[in-house]
Amino acid sequence: MQKFKNLAYLVVFSVMLFSCGEYQKVLNKGSVEDQYKMAVKMYETKKYAKALRLFEKITPAYRGKPQMERVQYMVAQSNFNEKNYSLAGYYFDRFTKNYPKSSKNEEASFLSAYSYKLASPVFSKDPTDTNKALEAFQSFINTYPNSDKIDEANQHYKDLRYKLQKKYFEIAKTYYTTADYDFRNYKAAIQAFDNLLSDYLGSEFKEEALYYRLKCAHDFVLKSTDRRKESRIKDAIEAYEKLERNFPESQFMVESNEMLATLKKEEKRIEGIVAQIKELQKENTKEK
């Protein structure tokens, strides 16, 4: 029995050795046609890394030829299967642009978007691939509204949109939480929350963003000098009104009402100071 096992191992090893030798020979010294055939063979046997090495060599020779459509698709699919997702997204996108009438165009369009989504990092990191995925899914949805992939594409789009919203929300919150160390971050936080709310009108973070927008404006008022408070109080009260208008039953209304009371009290105090200054100015004018 052991002899049969040893023989089987020897046969398998010999086949592998021959295959590797044949591959290397074609890769290094084979004709373009032989390399093309070997690349297809590697692709079909799921040896995608080896297929990609051969596709890279033959691409210049097949550029502009009928076989190039198949080559480009296999290059994209090989990168996808090797988990080179950013590259796969790029090559699938190129395929759709180079071969708009291809029967595989719809599939390639979806896979381009999906590849970029898989390449998309956690929300806290560079959103380049996330933005590419969003654009690609939007293009797919617009181009293929009746596709059997449309529900999946819409869900992917929603997931990516949420990821970006979370990123920008956390950036805005970070500006706010660091404003005690850098006063300029109050303005940065307010602008960041405003951008989030205007860019994502139906944002899942809208209620919380409106609350933090008010909190930023409120704290900014308290940290400001009296001569700068008048306009900032007005902005903070408008932030309160926007939160109340959109979420009258908000979980943040108790604290928000307390902030409004503080703002109103400060507004009244500043109005008193302004009135005194105006009165002094009138008296000075009379004396002159």
Side-chain angles (χ1 to χ4, degrees):
M1 191 66 180
Q2 187 62 39
K3 288 182 179 180
F4 283 117
K5 284 185 179 179
N6 291 339
L7 182 61
Y9 290 144
L10 184 60
V11 170
V12 171
F13 180 74
S14 298
V15 170
M16 289 176 63
L17 191 63
F18 175 76
S19 297
C20 290
E22 183 186 12
Y23 171 79
Q24 288 296 334
K25 183 178 177 182
V26 172
L27 176 67
N28 297 322
K29 297 181 180 179
S31 66
V32 172
E33 186 178 351
D34 288 339
Q35 289 174 342
Y36 173 79
K37 289 178 181 178
M38 179 62 74
V40 173
K41 180 181 177 182
M42 293 295 104
Y43 176 83
E44 291 176 345
T45 54
K46 299 183 180 181
K47 296 172 182 175
Y48 302 111
K50 288 184 174 182
L52 283 168
R53 290 183 68 191
L54 286 160
F55 284 134
E56 186 180 352
K57 292 198 75 171
I58 66 173
T59 291
Y62 281 99
R63 192 170 284 122
K65 294 182 179 179
Q67 295 95 326
M68 194 59 198
E69 179 179 342
R70 190 183 181 197
V71 169
Q72 270 205 5
Y73 189 85
M74 288 189 288
V75 167
Q77 189 67 61
S78 294
N79 275 295
F80 182 86
N81 292 329
E82 283 292 295
K83 298 183 180 181
N84 303 324
Y85 294 125
S86 287
L87 278 174
Y90 169 75
Y91 281 117
F92 277 124
D93 182 55
R94 274 186 61 183
F95 180 87
T96 63
K97 289 179 170 63
N98 291 338
Y99 304 100
K101 295 181 180 180
S102 170
S103 60
K104 288 186 173 291
N105 200 274
E106 180 181 332
E107 182 183 2
S109 179
F110 178 85
L111 285 172
S112 175
Y114 186 52
S115 296
Y116 281 129
K117 184 188 178 186
L118 291 175
S120 174
V122 294
F123 74 87
S124 59
K125 295 187 177 179
D126 183 359
T128 299
D129 282 322
T130 305
N131 285 318
K132 287 179 180 178
L134 272 172
E135 291 173 12
F137 273 120
Q138 187 63 71
S139 176
F140 178 84
I141 291 164
N142 293 341
T143 308
Y144 302 103
N146 300 315
S147 170
D148 58 2
K149 290 279 193 182
I150 198 68
D151 289 341
E152 187 179 347
N154 279 317
Q155 186 58 51
H156 286 313
Y157 184 87
K158 185 178 178 181
D159 293 344
L160 288 159
R161 194 169 181 271
Y162 179 86
K163 182 187 282 190
L164 275 186
Q165 290 175 62
K166 184 171 179 61
K167 178 182 181 65
Y168 297 130
F169 176 75
E170 293 298 336
I171 287 173
K173 261 182 76 174
T174 299
Y175 279 130
Y176 170 67
T177 56
T178 57
D180 280 342
Y181 308 105
D182 189 341
F183 187 74
R184 295 170 298 178
N185 283 354
Y186 281 116
K187 281 187 177 181
I190 288 169
Q191 186 62 59
F193 281 119
D194 283 344
N195 290 342
L196 171 65
L197 292 163
S198 62
D199 291 344
Y200 299 95
L201 297 178
S203 172
E204 291 90 335
F205 294 92
K206 185 172 183 178
E207 180 182 353
E208 201 171 352
L210 286 170
Y211 162 72
Y212 272 104
R213 170 64 171 82
L214 164 61
K215 198 168 175 62
C216 286
H218 166 271
D219 292 3
F220 194 31
V221 167
L222 299 184
K223 297 287 179 70
S224 299
T225 58
D226 284 349
R227 69 188 183 89
R228 294 185 179 276
K229 282 187 176 180
E230 189 173 9
S231 63
R232 291 174 184 176
I233 290 171
K234 182 181 177 183
D235 175 71
I237 291 173
E238 286 175 356
Y240 169 86
E241 291 170 347
K242 192 170 182 179
L243 172 63
E244 184 187 40
R245 186 167 60 252
N246 283 275
F247 300 97
E249 304 297 325
S250 172
Q251 60 179 314
F252 303 114
M253 282 315 299
V254 173
E255 187 178 349
S256 297
N257 286 331
E258 292 173 357
M259 286 190 281
L260 178 65
T262 301
L263 290 166
K264 289 289 187 181
K265 183 178 179 181
E266 195 66 9
E267 183 180 44
K268 189 172 182 180
R269 187 180 73 81
I270 294 299
E271 285 175 351
I273 293 173
V274 171
Q276 287 178 4
I277 291 172
K278 287 181 178 179
E279 189 62 33
L280 286 171
Q281 287 175 339
K282 282 181 182 179
E283 291 178 5
N284 288 336
T285 301
K286 285 179 183 179
E287 289 177 2
K288 288 180 181 179

